[in-house]
Amino acid sequence: MAGAVAKAYSDALFQVGVEENCLDKLCDEIDGLAKIAESTPELIKLFTAPTISVKEKNDSAERIFGESVSGYAMNFIRVLIEKNRFGYIGKISEELRKSYNEYSGIVEVTVTTATPLSDALRTKLVEKLTTVTGKKISLVEKVDESIIGGIVLSYGNTQMDSSIRSRIDGIHAQIKSVIA
């Protein structure tokens, strides 16, 4: 159900962003709201508490976000509060970002490395991925020391794992199958 709710709200918000020519800003604002909500669980409790009136919740939202977000984002916050859906803001943000990326011809690629990418490697990787996909690349970088070295790329339904950890695991499986 959460997925369907998030998709319905994100689709409506996406449509407003396209119609009002403010999709970029709206996506960024909703991403920001989702990050704030994720890092401040008390905010979700405040905006979903049954003991607090909708007016009090909206007044609080106005005080918290009123100066920092557009009117469209503020109206969206009010709708989420009134429909008791503010707890879905993270999922809504994810769905909205997917729609935005598809609309804008952007592929989000997650790159996992054992150490942070250098600027030169990042640039080279983005150029190569742009050539391969034919689309703009949005790079999400993750550092995971457990892969030891190499790189893991994930986008869409594609995953390329050239990490040392996966090679070791492969060798381990081969040895185990020979011994067993």
Side-chain angles (χ1 to χ4, degrees), residues 112-170:
T112 306
T113 54
T115 59
L117 291 173
S118 67
D119 290 339
L121 185 55
R122 182 181 303 107
T123 300
K124 189 174 182 178
L125 183 60
V126 168
E127 287 172 359
K128 182 68 172 175
L129 288 168
T130 299
T131 302
V132 169
T133 63
K135 297 186 176 195
K136 294 181 243 172
I137 300 298
S138 171
L139 208 57
V140 177
E141 297 179 43
K142 294 184 178 180
V143 174
D144 180 358
E145 294 175 0
S146 73
I147 70 168
I148 303 169
I151 190 168
V152 179
L153 294 174
S154 301
Y155 60 94
N157 294 327
T158 303
Q159 181 166 352
M160 293 180 276
D161 187 344
S162 65
S163 68
I164 293 174
R165 169 57 50 207
S166 69
R167 291 179 192 168
I168 291 171
D169 290 346

Side-chain angles (χ1 to χ4, degrees), residues 28-38 65 69 73 77 86 89:
D28 290 343
E29 288 178 325
I30 300 303
D31 282 347
L33 290 170
K35 287 176 185 164
I36 291 169
E38 182 181 319
F65 301 117
V69 298
I77 293 168
F86 193 83
I89 190 73

Side-chain angles (χ1 to χ4, degrees), residues 76-95:
F76 187 67
I77 293 168
R78 287 187 194 106
V79 168
L80 293 179
I81 288 170
E82 289 169 17
K83 300 295 184 183
N84 199 28
R85 299 286 196 231
F86 193 83
Y88 294 97
I89 190 73
K91 293 285 185 196
I92 293 168
S93 175
E94 289 175 22
E95 290 295 327

